[in-house]
Amino acid sequence: MTAETQTPVCSARGCRRKAEWMLHWRNPRLHGPERVKRWAACDEHVESLRSFLTARRFPCETVKLDD
């Protein structure tokens, strides 16, 4: 998120676009269901970030952010 506007920006390396999606995920080998991490994603990177997480068998929920 940017400090000025509190708008989430994409978590992909080098990307500073406005996030349109939020990926809620966790590493079940390290944390229980109560520990959920969040990555923001723009439209361009949502699939690559989700693929990265699911390839590692991390539970992942993708949620569209409200405008």
Side-chain angles (χ1 to χ4, degrees):
M1 286 193 214
T2 61
E4 304 83 35
T5 62
Q6 298 300 311
T7 301
V9 295
C10 185
S11 299
R13 183 177 295 175
C15 185
R16 302 307 299 161
R17 291 188 185 125
K18 177 183 172 192
E20 300 293 334
W21 301 90
M22 193 64 66
L23 285 76
H24 301 208
W25 65 278
R26 68 184 181 87
N27 182 339
R29 287 170 272 179
L30 300 177
H31 304 292
E34 70 284 351
R35 173 78 187 269
V36 177
K37 296 183 178 190
R38 289 169 179 78
W39 281 356
C42 67
D43 284 332
E44 181 180 340
H45 293 113
V46 66
E47 288 303 320
S48 62
L49 291 171
R50 182 171 175 70
S51 293
F52 177 87
L53 296 168
T54 58
R56 287 152 182 80
R57 296 198 167 113
F58 294 166
C60 181
E61 178 184 1
T62 306
V63 178
K64 177 78 170 157
L65 294 175
D66 294 332
D67 291 326

